[in-house]
Amino acid sequence: MRVVSTSSLPIDLAGQVTARFESAAVVVPDHWIGVERCDLAEADALVCLLLDRIDASVIARAPKLRVVANCAVGYDNVDVDALTSAGIALTNTPDVLTEATAELAFALMLAAARRLPEGEALVRSGTWQGWRLDQLLGIQLLGKTLGIIGLGRIGQAMRRRAEAFGMRVIFADPHAPGALSIDQVFAQADVVSLHCPLTPETRNLVNAERLAAMKSTAIVVNTSRGACVDEDALVDALTGGRIFAAALDVFAREPEIAVRLRSCPRLVLAPHIGSATTEARTQMAQLCADGVIAVLSGSRPRNLVNAEVVFRG
Ligand code: GLV
């Protein structure tokens, strides 16, 4: 039995797998090497990151593969249908990163509303002249309306935080009772925060028309997937002063960040760190190990994405 990881992990995958399957070989590199560089010829299980594109070409290299454990909650990097047709289970890492991601989204909302990066740059520049009555005026969140796109686990965690801050919450979600349309949320909200997966329906969900429909004091926050936002339209809206600010943790072509984005005013930038707490990342890796061990033991993993795959115990 062979388990291959495309990356180092904050848990002892080899120890855990061999405790269950004594003769298993477990290959874990000391950093992320990418699935292209992994030898999958004998692999029964693969642990990968959202940086790894898992598609038919990977499956073709891995004739014995039974499970792919994607160390992320989002799995738009994976061709799920191709795995399902090949009878390969896919697991992801929900729940354990919910609070970390909501905390980061909340931090970005606060940073954008209170213009923290501008303030920090001013202090660091050594040119700050001291307190001014009209300096770096931001937007108060108390009493404002947060519009959540995607009221799943992370969206709900964001909602709890916003309500504790005295914000009113509206949302768009095809599965949530009481939801408004996406257009209604953009028109009514003071802050729109994205918590949806990337699908054909959500690609470029934040576009020029919706940005134009927002209040001039509005803020956009994205901790979901970069391609949910039309980045050119967002830069145009910010440089034209048509919305107040935005904050992005994710980008359409990571790790490439267009110069227009890097130099855009009123735009808070973070390097895809939504789940980057020690707690969340450790538990994400643990869920991957649990999924691999479950499938190799013939049982159904807790976080199975493609429920159509059949398990023989
Ligand atoms: C991170 O972006 C994830 O999907 O877990």
Side-chain angles (χ1 to χ4, degrees):
M1 190 170 288
R2 195 172 185 85
V3 177
V4 175
S5 175
T6 68
S7 171
S8 55
L9 295 167
I11 57 160
D12 181 9
L13 181 69
Q16 293 191 29
V17 172
T18 53
R20 180 73 179 74
F21 308 103
E22 220 176 296
S23 60
V26 184
V27 184
V28 181
D30 62 8
H31 60 286
W32 175 68
I33 60 168
V35 70
E36 295 78 17
R37 290 180 56 201
C38 293
D39 179 358
L40 302 177
E42 298 294 323
D44 299 281
L46 173 66
V47 178
C48 64
L49 305 187
L50 56 80
L51 305 169
D52 296 304
R53 175 92 210 124
I54 307 298
D55 56 16
S57 70
V58 171
I59 296 171
R61 290 166 46 213
K64 295 168 76 176
L65 199 58
R66 289 163 62 191
V67 55
V68 172
N70 196 44
C71 196
V73 68
Y75 45 84
D76 48 285
N77 58 314
V78 178
D79 183 338
V80 184
D81 290 341
L83 284 190
T84 306
S85 317
I88 300 168
L90 171 66
T91 66
N92 69 339
T93 64
D95 301 318
V96 298
L97 48 59
T98 297
E99 306 302 327
T101 308
E103 285 178 1
L104 198 267
F106 214 82
L108 291 179
M109 175 172 70
L110 287 169
R114 300 305 298 272
R115 304 173 59 182
L116 269 185
E118 285 174 77
E120 195 195 39
L122 177 60
V123 175
R124 285 186 192 279
S125 74
T127 62
W128 181 45
Q129 301 286 313
W131 194 90
R132 298 285 182 273
L133 193 61
D134 59 352
Q135 191 168 61
L136 285 174
L137 300 186
I139 286 182
Q140 174 175 295
L141 294 176
L142 178 75
K144 297 294 187 332
T145 298
L146 171 65
I148 294 177
I149 307 294
L151 195 68
R153 290 170 291 251
I154 301 170
Q156 290 173 40
M158 186 70 175
R159 176 189 198 163
R160 290 194 296 275
R161 284 160 177 77
E163 286 174 347
F165 258 59
M167 297 183 82
R168 184 172 87 92
V169 175
I170 57 177
F171 48 90
D173 185 310
H175 310 292
L180 303 181
S181 71
I182 296 174
D183 288 332
Q184 286 171 320
V185 170
F186 274 78
Q188 293 177 27
D190 296 291
V191 180
V192 169
S193 188
L194 304 190
H195 299 287
C196 50
L198 175 62
T199 64
E201 292 75 41
T202 63
R203 184 172 291 276
N204 286 333
L205 181 149
V206 179
N207 57 24
E209 293 73 41
R210 291 198 171 118
L211 288 163
M214 295 185 93
K215 299 178 185 176
S216 59
T217 49
I219 295 172
V220 172
V221 177
N222 189 14
T223 53
S224 63
R225 284 292 182 267
C228 295
V229 174
D230 176 341
E231 293 174 345
D232 284 335
L234 181 66
V235 170
D236 287 345
L238 289 166
T239 47
R242 290 199 294 281
I243 63 170
F244 183 75
L248 302 178
D249 181 46
V250 285
F251 304 91
R253 280 168 294 280
E254 295 176 12
E256 281 169 48
I257 313 288
V259 177
R260 285 192 82 201
L261 275 179
R262 281 189 273 132
S263 56
C264 183
R266 297 288 178 90
L267 179 58
V268 183
L269 299 172
H272 202 151
I273 51 172
S275 65
T277 63
T278 305
E279 294 88 343
R281 290 283 163 84
T282 305
Q283 293 180 74
M284 288 162 71
Q286 187 55 52
L287 279 186
C288 292
D290 294 348
V292 164
I293 291 169
V295 174
L296 297 185
S297 307
S299 49
R300 192 187 166 88
R302 217 161 23 117
N303 308 314
L304 182 64
V305 171
N306 49 354
E308 306 92 311
V309 173
V310 176
F311 291 92
R312 287 169 214 89

